Amino acid sequence: MSAPDVEIWQLRARFAAALSAMYGAEVPAYTTLVEVSEAVNRDFVATHPDAGRLGSIERVTAERHGAIRVGAPGELTDVADLFAAFGMYPVGYYDLREAASPVPVVSTAFRPVAASELARNPFRVFTSMLATRDGRFFDADLRRRVDEFLSRRSLFNSELIADARRIASDGGCRADTAEDFVARAAAAFALSREPVDRAWYAELTAVSAVAADIAGVPTTHINHLTPRVLDIDDLYQRMSRRGITMIDAIQGPPRWDGPDVLLRQTSFRALAEPRRFREADSLVTEGTLRVRFGEVEARGVALTRKGRERYDAAMASADPAAVWGDYFPRSDDEMATQGLAYYHRGDPSAPVVYEDFLPTSAAGIFRSNLDTDTEAAAVPDESGYDIDWMAGTIGRHIHDPYDLYDATAQEAPA
Ligand code: OOG
Ligand code: NI
C-alpha cells in the first residue's frame, strides 16, 4: 500500500486513549486517580524548575501502563501480534513464581523499544500468562480442566489479529479503517457481561485468585491502567486524604533527596464491581467481585547492571531507606561517573528514564490486591518456562532492557 494515513505511533496513542476512556467508565475511581495525578504533576512543575528532567510534562501526563492477564500460550501469541500493530514489542521476562510470595504467572511487557517512539507515546502493557504447566500450583487434573476451559474460549477474533498483522507489516493503516481497528482492539479488553460460573470461579479461587481472574471467566480485561506522577508521596497523601485506602507502602526504592532510580509504585483496591453469576441450578444472579484496582507510579533514571546490583543489595537490607546513602551517591554527576545509571551521551543532566518494571513490586502489587495466598506444592517445576520458552512460543525476540538502554544512552535525548 502507499504511505499509510495513520502511523503506528498514532494508532498506539489512540489505543491508549481508548482503553483509558473505557477503563474510566468501568472503574470510576480510576478517573479520580487520573485527576489527582494531573493536579500533582501541575503543582510539581510549578514548584520545580527542573521538573522536565525525567520527561516532558506532556509525555508524563499522557503516560499510562496497563496490565492484562491471559491463560494460554496461544492467547499470549495473539496479544503479541495485536500489540505489534501499535509498535509495542516484548521487553524483559518476569518470573513472578520466583517471588518471595509466588504468583503463578510468567510475564513480559509490551512497549515501544526506540527512544523516539517512547517520546511520541510511551504506552506499555505488562502482560502475564497463567503458569498452568507448573505442578507446584496446578495438579494434573486441574491443569487439564483449566486448559480445556481455555481452549474453548477465543479472546481475540481471527479477523482482528489478521488486521493487526497487516497493519504491523504496512506500518500503519488508512484513515477510514483506523478508528474501527482501534475500537475493536480496545473492546477485546472490556469487562465481560457474561455470567461467571460461580462454582468454577470458586474452585479456582481456592487454588489462586489470579487463576480465577484469568481462567474463571470467558474473556480477558484490563486489570489496571496506571498514570505516572512526578511526586508519588504527594499523590499517596492526597488520595489518602480523599478517603481512598492505599496499600500500606510505596513499592520500590525509598524516597530520598538524591536521584530517583527505577520505579516507585503504589495502589489502592478498587471497590466491588457488579458481576452476574451462573449458579449451580443455572439461575443467573447478581453479585460482586473485587479484583481490579488503581495503581500509580513515578519513574526515575534507568540503572546499569552495576547500578541494579547495588539496588538489589540496598533493597535486601532490613530498612532500605536508612542505608540508601551507603549504596547510592546523591548526585547525577556521581551516578554517571560511577557508571551506576544511564545518561544520554554521558551527560548527567540528561537521565535515561527507566521504561520497565520491577518483579518484586509487580509481585507485591499483584498480591496486595488479592484476598488469598497461593500455596505452592513441594514438587519439582517441570514446566520449562523461561525467556527462551516464551520467545519461541510467541515467535518473537524478547528484548533485553539493558540492550535498549545501552542504545538509548548513545543517542541525544529524544
Ligand atoms: C500485573 C502486576 C505488575 C506492575 O506495575 O508492576 C504491574 C498484574 O497485576 O496483572 O502491573
Ligand atoms: Ni502495574
Side-chain angles (χ1 to χ4, degrees):
M1 88 173 203
S2 52
D5 303 327
V6 184
E7 290 180 46
I8 295 271
W9 75 267
Q10 293 167 313
L11 289 171
R12 178 168 67 256
R14 291 195 198 183
F15 181 49
L19 288 175
S20 186
M22 184 179 85
Y23 191 64
E26 290 177 354
V27 180
Y30 165 77
T31 306
T32 308
L33 182 64
V34 168
E35 283 164 11
V36 176
S37 299
E38 286 173 359
V40 166
N41 289 345
R42 266 197 310 274
D43 291 352
F44 189 86
V45 168
T47 49
H48 294 75
D50 67 342
R53 64 188 280 283
L54 291 166
S56 71
I57 182 72
E58 291 76 26
R59 172 186 155 165
V60 172
T61 303
E63 186 157 342
R64 300 281 185 277
H65 86 247
I68 60 165
R69 305 159 173 188
V70 298
E75 295 177 351
L76 188 63
T77 306
D78 280 353
V79 168
D81 287 354
L82 179 62
F83 287 172
F86 300 111
M88 297 156 67
Y89 309 103
V91 181
Y93 173 77
Y94 302 84
D95 199 330
L96 304 189
R97 299 173 302 159
E98 306 304 324
S101 25
V103 185
V105 297
V106 290
S107 313
T108 186
F110 290 91
R111 67 163 175 88
V113 294
S116 55
E117 285 293 311
L118 285 158
R120 285 168 146 171
N121 182 283
F123 189 49
R124 53 176 88 75
V125 179
F126 192 92
T127 304
S128 302
M129 189 200 80
L130 194 62
T132 60
R133 285 194 198 178
D134 188 332
R136 295 173 300 174
F137 306 105
F138 297 89
D139 66 30
D141 173 56
L142 183 62
R143 174 187 168 187
R144 186 183 50 74
R145 288 183 297 129
V146 168
D147 286 348
E148 193 180 286
F149 180 92
L150 295 172
S151 72
R152 273 188 273 118
R153 77 180 185 185
S154 165
L155 298 183
F156 308 98
N157 69 44
S158 46
E159 203 189 331
L160 176 68
I161 299 302
D163 290 345
R165 290 206 188 104
R166 194 171 325 109
I167 289 170
S169 86
D170 290 348
C173 67
R174 289 199 350 220
D176 58 357
T177 60
E179 193 176 333
D180 173 61
F181 175 69
V182 169
R184 283 185 290 133
F189 300 98
L191 196 67
S192 168
R193 280 183 242 280
E194 280 279 295
V196 176
D197 185 316
R198 171 90 69 185
W200 176 234
Y201 197 92
E203 182 184 356
L204 288 176
T205 303
V207 178
S208 155
V210 174
D213 183 46
I214 295 172
V217 293
T219 62
T220 187
H221 47 260
I222 296 281
N223 179 271
H224 59 268
L225 208 56
T226 300
R228 179 174 160 197
V229 286
L230 294 167
D231 185 344
I232 197 167
D233 301 277
D234 184 15
L235 183 286
Y236 190 98
Q237 283 153 19
R238 291 195 203 197
M239 291 297 281
S240 302
R241 278 203 296 275
R242 283 187 177 221
I244 295 177
T245 310
M246 308 297 283
I247 63 171
D248 291 346
I250 294 173
Q251 315 259 343
R255 179 184 189 89
W256 83 314
D257 54 6
D260 278 328
V261 303
L262 302 176
L263 177 65
R264 303 180 71 212
Q265 299 179 307
T266 189
S267 67
F268 65 85
R269 204 160 166 175
L271 301 177
E273 293 180 79
R275 294 271 190 106
R276 299 197 303 151
F277 288 88
R278 188 173 311 283
E279 307 294 346
D281 54 11
S282 284
L283 277 182
V284 173
T285 60
E286 302 290 330
T288 59
L289 283 181
R290 266 167 42 115
V291 198
R292 306 203 294 171
F293 53 90
E295 183 190 50
V296 62
E297 68 190 13
R299 290 187 173 266
V301 62
L303 294 180
T304 59
R305 285 194 167 81
K306 180 180 172 194
R308 181 58 180 261
E309 277 167 26
R310 290 268 183 99
Y311 173 82
D312 289 336
M315 291 299 285
S317 137
D319 183 1
V323 297
W324 207 253
D326 300 342
Y327 290 86
F328 286 103
R330 273 201 161 63
S331 70
D332 287 303
D333 270 349
E334 268 302 309
M335 292 283 276
T337 308
Q338 295 184 31
L340 296 174
Y342 287 100
Y343 296 90
H344 292 278
R345 298 183 168 168
D347 172 358
S349 68
V352 173
V353 178
Y354 188 59
E355 305 287 355
D356 293 289
F357 293 87
L358 295 171
T360 311
S361 305
I365 296 275
F366 251 108
R367 291 180 34 85
S368 60
N369 284 283
L370 303 175
D371 285 324
T372 50
D373 283 351
T374 303
E375 295 288 339
V379 300
D381 167 27
E382 290 168 349
S383 64
Y385 297 135
D386 61 16
I387 185 169
D388 295 326
W389 176 87
M390 188 180 276
T393 297
I394 64 178
R396 286 172 193 272
H397 173 63
I398 297 180
H399 296 269
D400 179 337
Y402 291 105
D403 292 343
L404 302 178
Y405 295 121
D406 280 329
T408 299
Q410 311 288 313
E411 298 167 13

Coordinates of all heavy atoms in Angstrom, one line a residue, residues 250-264 300-301 303 306-331 335 338 340-341 358 361:
I250 N 4.7 2.4 49.6 CA 5.0 2.6 48.2 C 6.1 1.6 47.9 O 7.1 1.4 48.6 CB 5.6 4.1 48.0 CG1 4.4 5.1 48.3 CG2 6.2 4.3 46.6 CD1 4.8 6.5 48.3
Q251 N 5.9 0.8 46.8 CA 6.8 -0.3 46.4 C 8.0 0.3 45.7 O 7.9 1.2 44.9 CB 6.1 -1.3 45.5 CG 4.7 -1.7 45.9 CD 4.7 -3.0 46.6 OE1 5.6 -3.8 46.5 NE2 3.6 -3.3 47.3
G252 N 9.1 -0.4 45.8 CA 10.3 0.1 45.1 C 11.2 0.9 46.0 O 11.2 0.8 47.2
P253 N 12.1 1.7 45.4 CA 13.1 2.4 46.2 C 12.5 3.4 47.1 O 11.4 3.9 46.8 CB 14.0 3.1 45.2 CG 13.2 3.1 43.9 CD 12.3 1.9 44.0
P254 N 13.1 3.7 48.3 CA 12.5 4.7 49.2 C 12.7 6.1 48.7 O 13.4 6.4 47.7 CB 13.4 4.5 50.4 CG 14.7 4.1 49.9 CD 14.4 3.2 48.7
R255 N 11.9 7.0 49.3 CA 12.0 8.5 48.9 C 13.4 8.9 49.5 O 13.7 8.5 50.7 CB 10.9 9.2 49.6 CG 11.0 10.7 49.4 CD 9.9 11.5 50.1 NE 9.8 12.9 49.8 CZ 9.1 13.3 48.7 NH1 8.4 12.5 48.0 NH2 9.1 14.6 48.5
W256 N 14.1 9.7 48.8 CA 15.3 10.3 49.4 C 15.6 11.6 48.6 O 14.9 11.9 47.6 CB 16.4 9.3 49.5 CG 17.2 9.1 48.2 CD1 16.8 8.9 47.0 CD2 18.7 9.1 48.2 NE1 17.8 8.8 46.1 CE2 19.0 8.9 46.8 CE3 19.7 9.3 49.1 CZ2 20.3 8.8 46.4 CZ3 21.0 9.2 48.7 CH2 21.3 9.0 47.3
D257 N 16.7 12.3 49.0 CA 16.9 13.6 48.3 C 18.0 13.5 47.2 O 18.3 14.5 46.6 CB 17.4 14.7 49.4 CG 18.6 14.2 50.2 OD1 19.1 13.1 49.9 OD2 18.9 14.9 51.2
G258 N 18.4 12.2 46.9 CA 19.3 12.1 45.7 C 18.4 11.7 44.5 O 17.2 11.7 44.5
P259 N 19.1 11.3 43.4 CA 18.4 11.0 42.2 C 17.4 9.8 42.4 O 17.8 8.8 43.0 CB 19.5 10.6 41.2 CG 20.7 11.2 41.7 CD 20.6 11.2 43.2
D260 N 16.2 9.9 41.9 CA 15.2 8.8 41.9 C 15.6 7.8 40.9 O 15.9 8.1 39.8 CB 13.8 9.3 41.6 CG 13.2 9.9 42.9 OD1 13.5 9.4 44.0 OD2 12.4 10.8 42.7
V261 N 15.6 6.5 41.3 CA 16.0 5.5 40.4 C 14.8 4.5 40.1 O 13.9 4.4 40.9 CB 17.2 4.6 40.9 CG1 18.4 5.5 41.2 CG2 16.8 3.8 42.1
L262 N 14.9 3.9 38.9 CA 13.9 2.9 38.5 C 12.5 3.4 38.7 O 12.1 4.3 38.0 CB 14.2 1.6 39.3 CG 15.6 1.0 39.1 CD1 15.8 -0.2 40.0 CD2 15.9 0.6 37.6
L263 N 11.7 2.7 39.6 CA 10.3 2.9 39.5 C 9.7 2.8 41.0 O 10.1 1.9 41.7 CB 9.8 1.7 38.7 CG 8.3 1.4 38.6 CD1 7.7 2.6 37.8 CD2 8.1 0.1 37.8
R264 N 8.9 3.7 41.3 CA 8.1 3.6 42.6 C 6.7 3.5 42.3 O 6.2 4.2 41.4 CB 8.4 4.8 43.5 CG 9.9 5.0 43.8 CD 10.2 6.2 44.7 NE 9.7 6.0 46.0 CZ 9.2 6.9 46.8 NH1 9.1 8.2 46.4 NH2 8.8 6.6 48.0
G300 N 12.1 6.9 37.6 CA 13.4 7.5 37.8 C 14.4 7.1 36.7 O 14.0 6.6 35.6
V301 N 15.7 7.3 37.0 CA 16.7 7.0 36.0 C 16.9 5.5 35.9 O 16.8 4.8 36.9 CB 18.0 7.8 36.3 CG1 18.6 7.3 37.7 CG2 19.1 7.6 35.3
L303 N 18.9 2.2 35.7 CA 20.2 1.7 36.3 C 20.9 0.8 35.3 O 20.3 0.0 34.7 CB 20.0 1.0 37.6 CG 19.5 1.9 38.8 CD1 19.3 1.0 40.0 CD2 20.4 3.1 39.0
K306 N 25.5 -2.7 36.9 CA 26.2 -2.4 38.1 C 25.3 -1.7 39.1 O 25.2 -2.0 40.3 CB 27.4 -1.6 37.8 CG 28.3 -1.2 39.0 CD 29.5 -0.4 38.6 CE 30.2 0.1 39.8 NZ 31.2 1.2 39.5
G307 N 24.5 -0.7 38.6 CA 23.6 0.0 39.5 C 22.5 -0.9 40.0 O 22.1 -0.8 41.2
R308 N 22.1 -1.8 39.2 CA 21.0 -2.7 39.6 C 21.5 -3.6 40.7 O 20.7 -4.0 41.6 CB 20.5 -3.5 38.4 CG 19.4 -4.4 38.7 CD 18.2 -3.7 39.3 NE 17.1 -4.6 39.6 CZ 16.0 -4.8 38.8 NH1 15.9 -4.1 37.7 NH2 15.1 -5.7 39.1
E309 N 22.7 -4.0 40.6 CA 23.3 -4.9 41.7 C 23.2 -4.1 43.0 O 22.9 -4.7 44.1 CB 24.7 -5.4 41.4 CG 24.7 -6.6 40.5 CD 26.1 -6.9 39.9 OE1 27.1 -6.5 40.5 OE2 26.1 -7.5 38.8
R310 N 23.6 -2.9 43.0 CA 23.6 -2.0 44.2 C 22.2 -1.9 44.7 O 21.9 -2.0 45.9 CB 24.0 -0.6 43.8 CG 25.5 -0.4 43.5 CD 26.3 -0.1 44.8 NE 27.6 0.1 44.4 CZ 28.2 1.3 44.3 NH1 27.5 2.4 44.5 NH2 29.4 1.5 43.9
Y311 N 21.3 -1.7 43.7 CA 19.9 -1.6 44.1 C 19.4 -2.8 44.8 O 18.8 -2.7 45.9 CB 19.0 -1.3 42.8 CG 17.5 -1.3 43.1 CD1 16.9 -0.2 43.6 CD2 16.8 -2.5 42.9 CE1 15.5 -0.2 43.8 CE2 15.4 -2.5 43.1 CZ 14.8 -1.4 43.6 OH 13.5 -1.4 43.9
D312 N 19.6 -4.0 44.3 CA 19.2 -5.2 44.9 C 19.8 -5.4 46.3 O 19.1 -5.8 47.2 CB 19.5 -6.4 44.0 CG 18.6 -6.4 42.7 OD1 17.5 -5.8 42.7 OD2 19.0 -7.0 41.7
A313 N 21.1 -5.0 46.4 CA 21.7 -5.1 47.7 C 21.1 -4.2 48.7 O 20.8 -4.6 49.8 CB 23.2 -4.8 47.6
A314 N 20.8 -3.0 48.3 CA 20.2 -2.0 49.2 C 18.8 -2.4 49.6 O 18.4 -2.3 50.8 CB 20.1 -0.6 48.5
M315 N 18.0 -3.0 48.6 CA 16.7 -3.4 48.9 C 16.6 -4.6 49.8 O 15.6 -4.9 50.5 CB 15.9 -3.7 47.6 CG 15.6 -2.5 46.8 SD 14.6 -1.3 47.6 CE 13.0 -2.1 47.5
A316 N 17.7 -5.4 49.8 CA 17.8 -6.6 50.7 C 18.0 -6.2 52.2 O 17.8 -7.1 53.1 CB 18.9 -7.5 50.2
S317 N 18.3 -5.0 52.4 CA 18.5 -4.5 53.8 C 17.2 -4.5 54.5 O 16.1 -4.3 53.9 CB 19.2 -3.2 53.8 OG 18.7 -2.3 54.7
A318 N 17.3 -4.6 55.9 CA 16.0 -4.6 56.6 C 15.3 -3.2 56.5 O 14.1 -3.1 56.6 CB 16.4 -4.9 58.1
D319 N 16.1 -2.1 56.4 CA 15.5 -0.8 56.3 C 16.2 0.0 55.1 O 17.1 0.8 55.4 CB 15.6 -0.1 57.6 CG 15.0 1.3 57.6 OD1 14.4 1.7 56.5 OD2 15.1 2.0 58.6
P320 N 15.8 -0.3 53.9 CA 16.5 0.3 52.7 C 16.6 1.9 52.9 O 17.7 2.4 52.6 CB 15.6 0.0 51.5 CG 15.0 -1.3 52.0 CD 14.7 -1.2 53.4
A321 N 15.6 2.5 53.4 CA 15.6 4.0 53.5 C 16.8 4.5 54.3 O 17.5 5.4 54.0 CB 14.3 4.5 54.0
A322 N 17.1 3.7 55.4 CA 18.1 4.1 56.4 C 19.5 4.0 55.8 O 20.4 4.7 56.1 CB 18.0 3.2 57.6
V323 N 19.7 3.0 54.8 CA 21.0 2.8 54.3 C 21.2 3.2 52.9 O 22.3 3.0 52.3 CB 21.3 1.3 54.4 CG1 21.3 0.8 55.9 CG2 20.4 0.4 53.6
W324 N 20.2 3.9 52.3 CA 20.2 4.2 50.8 C 21.5 4.9 50.5 O 22.2 4.6 49.5 CB 19.0 5.0 50.4 CG 18.7 4.7 49.0 CD1 18.9 5.6 47.9 CD2 18.2 3.5 48.4 NE1 18.5 5.0 46.8 CE2 18.1 3.7 47.0 CE3 17.8 2.3 48.9 CZ2 17.6 2.8 46.1 CZ3 17.3 1.3 48.0 CH2 17.2 1.5 46.7
G325 N 21.9 5.9 51.3 CA 23.0 6.7 51.0 C 24.4 6.0 51.1 O 25.4 6.4 50.6
D326 N 24.4 4.8 51.7 CA 25.6 3.9 51.7 C 25.7 3.3 50.3 O 26.8 2.8 50.0 CB 25.5 2.8 52.7 CG 25.4 3.4 54.1 OD1 25.6 4.6 54.3 OD2 24.9 2.6 55.0
Y327 N 24.7 3.2 49.5 CA 24.7 2.5 48.3 C 24.7 3.4 47.1 O 25.2 3.0 46.0 CB 23.5 1.5 48.2 CG 23.6 0.3 49.1 CD1 23.1 0.4 50.4 CD2 24.1 -0.9 48.7 CE1 23.2 -0.6 51.3 CE2 24.2 -1.9 49.6 CZ 23.7 -1.8 50.9 OH 23.8 -2.9 51.7
F328 N 24.0 4.5 47.2 CA 23.9 5.4 46.0 C 24.4 6.8 46.4 O 24.1 7.4 47.4 CB 22.5 5.5 45.6 CG 22.0 4.2 44.9 CD1 21.2 3.3 45.5 CD2 22.4 4.0 43.6 CE1 20.8 2.1 44.8 CE2 22.1 2.8 42.9 CZ 21.3 1.9 43.5
P329 N 25.1 7.4 45.4 CA 25.6 8.8 45.6 C 24.4 9.8 45.4 O 23.3 9.4 44.8 CB 26.6 9.0 44.4 CG 26.2 8.0 43.4 CD 25.6 6.9 44.1
R330 N 24.6 11.0 45.9 CA 23.4 12.0 46.0 C 23.3 12.8 44.7 O 22.4 13.6 44.7 CB 23.6 12.9 47.2 CG 23.1 12.3 48.4 CD 22.8 13.4 49.5 NE 21.8 12.8 50.4 CZ 22.1 11.8 51.2 NH1 23.3 11.2 51.2 NH2 21.2 11.3 52.0
S331 N 24.1 12.6 43.7 CA 24.0 13.5 42.5 C 24.1 12.6 41.3 O 24.7 11.6 41.2 CB 25.1 14.5 42.5 OG 26.4 13.9 42.3
M335 N 26.5 9.5 40.0 CA 25.8 8.3 39.4 C 26.5 8.0 38.0 O 26.8 6.9 37.7 CB 24.3 8.5 39.2 CG 23.5 8.6 40.5 SD 23.3 7.0 41.3 CE 21.8 6.5 40.4
Q338 N 30.3 7.0 38.4 CA 30.5 5.6 38.9 C 29.8 4.5 38.0 O 29.9 3.4 38.3 CB 29.9 5.5 40.3 CG 30.6 6.4 41.3 CD 30.1 6.1 42.7 OE1 29.6 5.1 43.1 NE2 30.1 7.2 43.5
L340 N 26.7 3.9 37.4 CA 25.5 3.3 38.0 C 24.2 3.5 37.3 O 23.3 2.7 37.4 CB 25.4 3.8 39.5 CG 26.5 3.5 40.4 CD1 26.3 4.3 41.8 CD2 26.7 2.0 40.6
A341 N 24.2 4.5 36.5 CA 22.9 4.8 35.8 C 23.2 5.3 34.4 O 24.3 5.7 34.1 CB 22.1 5.9 36.6
L358 N 9.5 -3.8 37.8 CA 10.3 -4.5 38.8 C 9.6 -5.7 39.3 O 8.4 -5.6 39.8 CB 10.6 -3.5 40.0 CG 11.4 -2.3 39.7 CD1 11.4 -1.3 40.9 CD2 12.8 -2.7 39.4
S361 N 8.2 -5.5 42.9 CA 7.0 -4.6 43.0 C 5.8 -5.3 42.3 O 4.7 -5.2 42.8 CB 7.3 -3.3 42.4 OG 8.4 -2.7 42.9

